[in-house]
């Protein structure tokens, strides 16, 4: 490995950045460049005299300046581009700005705006970040990861995507690298994972997106998406190599297609420390909202009747977590599964659907004879019929079917339940199953609501209802932090349950109109709380590889702060 232009050394008085680079080389290193915040002494030592305006700024003044520049960007995509360019020149300042405006900027640096950046990736290509692994060059995996310039003990987290299920826009090929970068940005801003200890990866297996394949500017593998044995061998090679090279790193899977996401997680969950946010993160934050909702309703988890619209990766993941919560509340697994109904585009899932059912849906398929009378002859049991027969206490949407929770259905649900728990979780907003204002109006203000997208408060009958956003950012950053602190060998169901309980515990549902989840604006506090819970759970289950004897102190010491370290020219 080439000699590095700098290194960070921990001392008794804090981190020290020992810099070997000089002059314009310093200005090309976003991890150490601090622009006008360099003192005159630092400029002299690093060969920067005459390369910067004479005035010296504090980081607070710099933050005000770049925030004003950000606000002048004409639209959300331009704001995303501006923040990307800021990170490319001064990483500490970028994260300082983001940490001070996280609730405002999270939709810009991640969903939904990042979707536009991904779609434009090959046309707006600028400075590459991350590692690009090609299925056509499997023999280059180790070389590619090594070229990123990290040693075995310098990586805590690797986020990888094969780009098949990007947000709500599907297969985006090599542009998916931006979703890995965006995810890591949230880890860093929310949980203080160190920006030098992460690697974004795109697993380029081709694309079935014809618009990309016929675009002369497209930068990825120009062939159809590879599947089957060759795909599995590529994933195996990636996991084996990444785990061998960086044995302490959490391997995070992001935005894989429904056919691959669950089986990949199941394949490696017991072998390495691995996590799928679309399944486990979405389910954990939904479970946290459900726990808070059940508490607000004065009910118990074992008494819930749950209808889920959208039985894909996210929907079934939520069902699995709710089933486990019911089991912990005293039900046996079979009875818990029978209190959950899954509805797809072709209606209620039943055991006579044969090959239409995926293996992970089978535990929830209802006996066909049980529901035969619920629909007209020759027709499937749709969502409205299911709600009318089941009288659910909880209605969850992960379908992306806009308006699927209509007025008649919601009023029917509310006729039988005092505090209906309704989570239209699909995003972006135009695909949501119902908007909070309608749900509260149709239930006379009794609904307990959480959504996937942010919504402003709703005033109903003089009560201001603050709408909880079931944002995965409430869960995954703290999970990664706790795993890092404990050096967990793997992620268990108990650790994820600890995430959900910690998040739910931060919501005060005793007040009228109170949200079921903490605010996204409080992500640092939420992530620290989750991190402590996860580290403690890992230690309790014997999965921690270091002693977790002072979890609060260990977590807070592990959280990187976006401040300029002391510099030494060497």
């Amino acid at each position: 490995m080439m000699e590095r232009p700098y290194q960070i050394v921990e001392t008794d008085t804090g981190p020290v950045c020992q810099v070997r680079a000089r002059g314009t080389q310093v200005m090309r290193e976003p991890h150490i460049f601090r622009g006008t915040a360099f003192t005159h002494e630092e400029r002299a030592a690093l060969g920067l005299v005459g390369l910067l305006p004479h005035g010296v700024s504090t980081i607070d003044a710099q933050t005000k300046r770049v925030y004003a520049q950000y606000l002048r960007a004409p639209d959300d995509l331009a704001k995303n581009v501006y923040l990307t360019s800021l990170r490319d020149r001064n990483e500490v300042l970028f994260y300082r700005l983001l940490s001070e405006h996280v609730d405002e900027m999270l939709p810009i640096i991640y969903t939904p705006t990042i979707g536009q950046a991904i779609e434009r990736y090959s046309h707006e290509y600028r400075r590459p970040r991350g590692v690009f692994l090609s299925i056509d060059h499997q023999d280059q995996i180790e070389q590619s990861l090594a070229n990123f310039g990290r040693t075995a003990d310098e990586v805590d987290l690797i986020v990888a995507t094969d780009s098949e299920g990007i947000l709500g826009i599907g297969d985006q090929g090599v542009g998916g690298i931006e979703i890995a970068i965006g995810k890591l940005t949230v880890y860093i801003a929310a949980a203080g994972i160190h920006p030098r200890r992460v690697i974004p990866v795109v697993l380029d297996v081709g694309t079935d997106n014809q618009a990309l394949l016929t675009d002369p500017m497209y930068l990825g593998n120009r062939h159809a998406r590879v599947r089957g044995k060759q795909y599995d061998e590529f994933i195996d090679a990636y996991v084996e190599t990444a785990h061998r090279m960086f044995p302490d790193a959490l391997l995070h899977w992001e935005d894989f297609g429904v056919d691959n996401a669950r089986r990949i997680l199941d394949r490696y969950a017991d072998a390495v420390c691995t996590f799928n946010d679309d399944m486990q993160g979405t389910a954990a934050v939904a479970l946290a909202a459900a726990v808070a909702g059940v508490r607000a309703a004065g009910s118990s988890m074992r008494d819930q009747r749950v209808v889920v619209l959208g039985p894909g990766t996210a929907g079934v993941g939520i069902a699995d977590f709710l089933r486990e919560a019911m089991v912990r509340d005293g039900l046996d697994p079979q009875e818990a599964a029978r209190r959950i109904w899954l509805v797809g585009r072709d209606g209620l899932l039943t055991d006579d659907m044969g090959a239409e059912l995926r293996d992970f849906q089978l535990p929830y398929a209802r006996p066909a004879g049980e529901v035969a009378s619920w629909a007209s002859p020759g027709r499937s049991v749709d969502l409205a019929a299911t709600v009318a027969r089941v009288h659910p206490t909880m209605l969850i949407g992960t379908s992306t079917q806009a308006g699927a929770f209509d007025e008649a259905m919601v009023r029917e649900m509310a006729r039988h339940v005092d505090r209906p728990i309704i989570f239209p979780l699909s995003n972006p907003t135009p695909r949501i199953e119902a908007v909070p204002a309608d749900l509260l109006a149709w239930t006379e203000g009794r609904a307990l609501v959480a959504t996937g997208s942010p919504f402003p408060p709703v005033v109903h009958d003089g009560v201001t209802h603050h709408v909880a956003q079931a944002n995965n950012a409430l869960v995954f950053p703290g999970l990664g932090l706790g795993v890092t602190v404990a050096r967990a060998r793997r992620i268990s169901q108990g650790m994820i349950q600890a995430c959900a309980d910690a998040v739910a515990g931060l919501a005060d549902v005793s007040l009228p109109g109170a949200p079921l989840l903490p605010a996204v604006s409080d992500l640092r506090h939420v992530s620290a709380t989750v991190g402590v819970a996860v580290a403690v759970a890992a230690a309790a289950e014997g999965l921690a590889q270091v002693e977790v004897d002072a979890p609060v102190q260990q977590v807070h010491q592990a959280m990187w702060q976006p401040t300029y370290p002391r510099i030494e020219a060497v």
Side-chain angles (χ1 to χ4, degrees):
M1 186 181 297
M2 295 177 60
E3 185 178 58
R4 295 176 178 176
Y6 70 94
Q7 65 178 352
I8 304 293
V9 177
E10 293 295 334
T11 70
D12 293 339
T13 58
V16 175
C17 184
Q18 297 179 336
V19 183
R20 297 181 181 86
R22 294 293 184 271
T24 56
Q25 186 182 7
V26 174
M27 303 175 79
R28 292 193 295 268
E29 293 288 341
H31 304 294
I32 59 175
F33 185 62
R34 57 185 65 176
T36 57
F38 282 115
T39 66
H40 292 299
E41 293 77 14
E42 290 166 344
R43 298 179 194 196
L46 298 176
L48 294 172
V49 173
L51 301 184
L52 295 166
H54 186 73
V56 175
S57 302
T58 65
I59 193 171
D60 290 334
Q62 287 182 313
T63 303
K64 291 179 182 177
R65 181 183 299 121
V66 295
Y67 184 54
Q69 293 169 356
Y70 165 86
L71 291 177
R72 287 198 293 271
D75 54 45
D76 288 349
L77 184 57
K79 287 181 168 64
N80 176 280
V81 170
Y82 174 79
L83 291 174
T84 299
S85 67
L86 174 61
R87 179 175 54 194
D88 285 343
R89 68 177 185 269
N90 186 335
E91 193 165 59
V92 172
L93 182 57
F94 164 78
Y95 282 109
R96 178 64 170 264
L97 176 66
L98 182 56
S99 68
E100 292 188 5
H101 303 278
V102 65
D103 54 335
E104 175 185 353
M105 294 182 178
L106 193 61
I108 303 297
I109 57 102
Y110 197 58
T111 179
T113 307
I114 198 172
Q116 301 175 53
I118 291 169
E119 289 179 309
R120 297 286 303 165
Y121 179 77
S122 292
H123 288 259
E124 303 295 338
Y125 180 77
R126 295 177 183 84
R127 176 174 179 160
R129 280 180 171 265
V131 176
F132 299 77
L133 300 180
S134 170
I135 197 169
D136 301 333
H137 301 284
Q138 187 171 309
D139 59 320
Q140 296 179 357
I141 292 176
E142 182 164 355
Q143 177 188 359
S144 300
L145 290 170
N147 285 344
F148 198 72
R150 303 291 187 272
T151 60
D153 61 348
E154 290 181 331
V155 178
D156 295 324
L157 180 61
I158 304 175
V159 173
T161 183
D162 76 348
S163 312
E164 186 174 11
I166 298 292
L167 303 173
I169 56 177
D171 186 343
Q172 293 297 317
V174 76
I177 189 67
E178 290 290 345
I179 203 71
I181 294 168
K183 206 76 175 186
L184 286 170
T185 301
V186 182
Y187 269 112
I188 295 163
I193 304 296
H194 199 289
R196 288 286 292 169
R197 299 185 62 85
V198 303
I199 305 178
V201 171
V202 64
L203 302 166
D204 188 355
V205 299
T207 178
D208 290 338
N209 185 330
Q210 290 300 312
L212 295 179
L213 290 175
T214 57
D215 183 350
M217 303 293 286
Y218 180 60
L219 293 171
N221 284 329
R222 200 175 291 275
H223 57 67
R225 186 169 283 273
V226 175
R227 304 185 186 277
K229 181 181 178 182
Q230 186 181 354
Y231 176 92
D232 291 344
E233 289 175 347
F234 181 53
I235 299 297
D236 271 339
Y238 161 69
V239 172
E240 187 280 325
T241 305
H243 183 59
R244 171 169 46 81
M245 294 179 67
F246 310 108
D248 293 329
L250 164 60
L251 303 185
H252 174 130
W253 307 99
E254 185 69 21
D255 284 352
F256 281 69
V258 65
D259 290 329
N260 290 320
R262 180 175 287 264
R263 69 185 190 89
I264 287 174
L265 182 65
D266 290 345
R267 179 177 177 85
Y268 302 109
D270 293 331
V272 298
C273 187
T274 189
F275 172 73
N276 184 305
D277 186 50
D278 304 299
M279 293 169 53
Q280 295 166 296
T282 299
V285 74
L287 175 60
V291 168
V294 168
R295 189 166 71 238
S299 183
S300 64
M301 193 62 71
R302 62 176 294 152
D303 293 328
Q304 301 307 303
R305 298 182 303 278
V306 183
V307 171
V308 179
L309 178 66
T313 300
V316 178
I318 293 170
D320 288 345
F321 276 39
L322 291 173
R323 179 184 61 185
E324 292 302 315
M326 293 177 189
V327 170
R328 285 192 299 275
D329 203 25
L331 297 184
D332 65 64
Q334 291 75 28
E335 176 58 25
R338 286 186 54 78
R339 299 188 72 84
I340 300 172
W341 290 258
L342 301 184
V343 181
R345 291 187 180 276
D346 295 325
L348 180 67
L349 300 194
T350 54
D351 60 9
D352 61 347
M353 289 183 168
E356 295 179 33
L357 293 176
R358 294 186 169 95
D359 56 352
F360 58 86
Q361 297 169 332
L362 288 173
Y364 304 102
R366 314 301 294 193
E370 172 190 299
V371 300
S373 63
W374 291 15
S376 302
R379 300 189 63 181
S380 61
V381 180
D382 63 13
L383 178 63
T386 303
V387 169
R389 293 287 187 147
V390 169
H391 299 161
T393 59
M394 195 177 298
L395 180 62
I396 298 173
T398 59
S399 67
T400 68
Q401 296 178 36
F405 298 169
D406 63 29
E407 180 176 359
M409 181 189 307
V410 172
R411 288 191 180 278
E412 172 63 17
M413 178 183 181
R415 283 181 57 233
H416 305 278
V417 184
D418 183 48
R419 299 299 305 275
I421 298 171
I422 307 177
F423 298 163
L425 300 180
S426 292
N427 54 42
T429 303
R431 301 190 179 190
I432 196 168
E433 289 83 4
V435 297
D438 286 342
L439 294 175
L440 288 163
W442 298 336
T443 61
E444 293 76 43
R446 293 182 286 124
L448 296 161
V449 180
T451 58
S453 298
F455 279 88
V458 176
V459 178
H460 182 86
D461 282 349
V463 176
T464 300
H465 296 262
H466 297 273
V467 181
Q469 184 189 1
N471 192 318
N472 292 22
L474 296 171
V475 169
F476 70 82
L479 175 70
L481 177 61
V483 166
T484 297
V485 167
R487 288 287 171 224
R489 287 192 297 273
R490 63 181 181 85
I491 293 176
S492 68
Q493 183 71 27
M495 292 162 66
I496 296 177
Q497 177 63 42
C499 286
D501 290 342
V503 173
L506 291 171
D508 180 4
V509 296
S510 61
L511 300 175
L516 299 179
L517 295 168
V520 172
S521 59
D522 204 20
L523 276 184
R524 292 284 286 199
H525 172 59
V526 174
S527 297
T529 303
V530 171
V532 170
V534 169
V536 169
E541 295 187 36
L543 295 173
Q545 298 182 84
V546 301
E547 186 176 0
V548 182
D549 53 355
V552 173
Q553 180 180 354
Q554 288 170 281
V555 163
H556 282 274
Q557 286 180 339
M559 295 178 74
W560 174 76
Q561 302 294 332
T563 57
Y564 294 132
R566 184 161 57 89
I567 280 183
E568 289 181 356
V570 296

